[in-house]
Amino acid sequence: MGLNLDEQKAVDRFRKEVVEPSRDSLVILDFWAEWCGPCKRLAPTIDALATDYAGKVTIGKLNVDENPGTASKFQIRGIPAVLLFKDGAVVESVVGLAPKEEFTKCIEKHL
């Protein structure tokens, strides 16, 4: 069975906003949900990283409840989950609540 129109739009948007930009620079995607307490606690860290790496790294958020197909494609089984994309592929992931320093080390490794 093929993709329905909404699924195809989601795939196209993901390709345009994550995969294609990752060919030129590092893209970080935070998989989260509104009901997730650890996700809410991680949000300020993700926001701080976006500020620290503005112009060097693209950082986005993906709500797993609104985008279950994308979460499934990347085998997201626990949230928060942060994936780092480079050259169109996932190069690293951090699952669970982690300190800013852990994310900084991952980012610096791939810049």
Side-chain angles (χ1 to χ4, degrees):
M1 181 173 166
L3 295 175
N4 70 35
L5 187 57
D6 288 338
E7 290 171 331
Q8 186 60 50
K9 285 181 183 177
V11 168
D12 291 344
R13 183 175 177 205
F14 187 83
R15 184 180 306 114
K16 180 181 176 186
E17 295 182 10
V18 177
V19 176
E20 290 174 8
S22 77
R23 298 193 191 288
D24 298 320
S25 67
L26 190 63
V27 175
I28 298 170
L29 192 58
D30 175 20
F31 289 78
W32 69 287
E34 186 64 40
W35 50 263
C36 172
C39 298
K40 290 180 181 180
R41 290 195 301 278
L42 183 62
T45 299
I46 298 298
D47 292 343
L49 291 168
T51 299
D52 293 350
Y53 289 96
K56 296 179 185 173
V57 175
T58 300
I59 298 180
K61 296 172 92 49
L62 186 133
N63 185 316
V64 296
D65 290 334
E66 295 173 2
N67 300 279
T70 303
S72 177
K73 177 182 177 180
F74 290 100
Q75 301 177 350
I76 302 299
R77 291 182 173 80
I79 54 175
V82 178
L83 303 185
L84 287 76
F85 293 82
K86 187 172 186 178
D87 297 323
V90 175
V91 293
E92 192 148 351
S93 65
V94 178
V95 179
L97 194 56
K100 182 180 177 187
E101 296 75 24
E102 184 172 340
F103 291 104
T104 299
K105 187 163 50 167
C106 292
I107 292 168
E108 292 295 328
K109 181 166 57 171
H110 295 287
L111 282 180

